[in-house]
Amino acid sequence: MEPPGNMYWDLNSLNGIFNWTAWYRKDASLWLSYGSRLKLNTSKRHAASRQLSIRNFYKEKTKDFIGMISNCRDQAQRFKLVYKLQKYLNIDMFGRCYEKTCESGMKIENKSCENILKQYKFYLAFENSHCKDYVTEKYWNALKRDQIPIVNWKNIDEDIVIPKSYINVYDFNDVKSFVTYVKAVSSNETLYNSYFQWKLKYKDKGSCISCELCQKLHRNSYQRQVYSDLAGWISDDFCPKLTIVSEKIQIFKQWLWSFGIDMQ
């Protein structure tokens, strides 16, 4: 389930061993996605329409922006992005990388992280790597909490996510343009609620790797193969393979950004 940047062993030693692969990438033998969209049939669309007509997602939220980062490896430079956004937006950041958990950071009686997160309109679903097809539970869980995910995608095909369910920082020319737009969404009830119209067409059907494996094992037409160059296949990506040295540099940069020092 991890991107190439989190693989430190010698992948060449695995060449010629495996017939199939299971990964979040769609070119794997088995697509091990964190979530997947399912198009609703007519009857389910009618039921979804009735449910949506009695919901006002905007009024169900009492706070604006929240994010959680617990994996401090940062090939995608999301700490730097959060630092820039916090100059203009009031963002509550939690997780191991910020040394702030939901329980200790929020002085409320309910200690459930999920219940805390649900109070916010937007969730910063920033991935730690800009890798092919790498969309994790951050995005899918935000949808389950009826939030608008704010994402940092650069190499994601829209066919693996739900259209018009998120706001991508990199769809804007610069940070200020993004901030202007997201503030407008946050203050406009109609505009905010429009980001949940996807519920009329789709649902998250999740992922069942054992189901897919069982189906393909019973397909005689599924051609046998051997990954003779597993390392080459894994590295055929947009994102670089992170090394121990570059990881230490990223952690050092993160420490500088926490003090407001921007080192390019």
Side-chain angles (χ1 to χ4, degrees):
M1 303 299 284
E2 292 295 327
N6 292 340
M7 298 179 183
Y8 296 106
W9 58 86
D10 180 14
L11 295 171
N12 289 305
S13 64
L14 303 178
N15 290 343
I17 295 177
F18 296 104
N19 300 89
W20 286 358
T21 56
W23 208 9
Y24 63 83
R25 262 173 39 179
K26 290 198 74 176
D27 57 346
S29 309
L30 304 170
W31 184 34
L32 191 59
S33 62
Y34 285 84
S36 58
R37 74 187 190 195
L38 175 67
K39 201 163 188 177
L40 302 180
N41 59 30
T42 302
S43 62
K44 289 184 178 180
R45 290 187 68 170
H46 288 318
S49 179
R50 289 193 296 271
Q51 292 177 359
L52 208 61
S53 66
I54 60 174
R55 297 285 303 274
N56 187 328
F57 301 97
Y58 183 86
K59 290 187 176 179
E60 292 174 9
K61 308 299 182 183
T62 58
K63 300 179 181 180
D64 288 321
F65 303 92
I66 191 169
M68 294 183 69
I69 300 179
S70 293
N71 181 354
C72 304
R73 297 187 181 98
D74 193 30
Q75 184 259 326
Q77 297 191 16
R78 52 188 176 167
F79 292 101
K80 183 177 183 180
L81 183 55
V82 170
Y83 169 71
K84 287 182 177 180
L85 293 177
Q86 284 181 320
K87 292 180 179 179
Y88 308 98
L89 301 171
N90 183 19
I91 304 173
D92 293 329
M93 291 300 300
F94 297 89
R96 191 169 54 216
C97 304
Y98 286 86
E99 297 183 347
K100 194 175 181 184
T101 65
C102 287
E103 290 81 359
S104 62
M106 299 263 193
K107 294 183 178 179
I108 62 174
E109 290 181 4
N110 193 327
K111 299 298 183 180
S112 168
C113 247
E114 282 297 297
N115 288 338
I116 292 171
L117 294 173
K118 286 179 181 178
Q119 300 175 34
Y120 290 79
K121 297 175 185 173
F122 305 90
Y123 182 77
L124 271 61
F126 288 167
E127 306 295 358
N128 57 51
S129 299
H130 294 308
C131 297
K132 189 185 338 182
D133 301 333
Y134 190 54
V135 177
T136 69
E137 79 286 346
K138 300 176 187 67
Y139 163 75
W140 295 104
N141 286 347
L143 296 185
K144 292 174 184 175
R145 292 190 296 265
D146 295 324
Q147 296 172 299
I148 299 178
I150 296 176
V151 300
N152 64 333
W153 298 336
K154 288 187 176 181
N155 304 302
I156 303 301
D157 292 327
E158 194 166 87
D159 64 344
I160 67 172
V161 295
I162 297 177
K164 299 181 180 179
S165 64
Y166 59 88
I167 301 175
N168 189 351
V169 174
Y170 293 119
D171 283 343
F172 297 83
N173 293 328
D174 50 48
V175 168
K176 287 188 177 180
S177 300
F178 164 76
V179 168
T180 299
Y181 179 75
V182 80
K183 281 185 175 179
V185 177
S186 180
S187 61
N188 187 308
E189 180 176 321
T190 302
L191 183 56
Y192 183 84
N193 285 333
S194 71
Y195 275 89
F196 299 91
Q197 291 299 302
W198 62 265
K199 290 176 177 286
L200 296 173
K201 297 181 180 180
Y202 304 100
K203 66 175 289 188
D204 172 19
K205 69 174 182 180
S207 177
C208 178
I209 186 63
S210 58
C211 303
E212 189 175 355
L213 176 60
C214 185
Q215 290 170 1
K216 289 195 173 182
L217 284 171
H218 283 81
R219 289 179 195 164
N220 294 328
S221 60
Y222 196 75
Q223 188 173 1
R224 295 186 181 188
Q225 62 182 352
V226 177
Y227 284 80
S228 58
D229 184 12
L230 185 66
W233 176 72
I234 286 175
S235 62
D236 182 20
D237 208 326
F238 304 100
C239 57
K241 188 173 185 295
L242 200 66
T243 63
I244 298 295
V245 173
S246 63
E247 180 188 0
K248 289 179 179 178
I249 291 174
Q250 290 295 344
I251 292 173
F252 178 61
K253 284 183 178 181
Q254 174 194 336
W255 179 76
L256 290 176
W257 291 328
S258 68
F259 289 96
I261 303 171
D262 188 0
M263 185 184 78
Q264 298 295 332

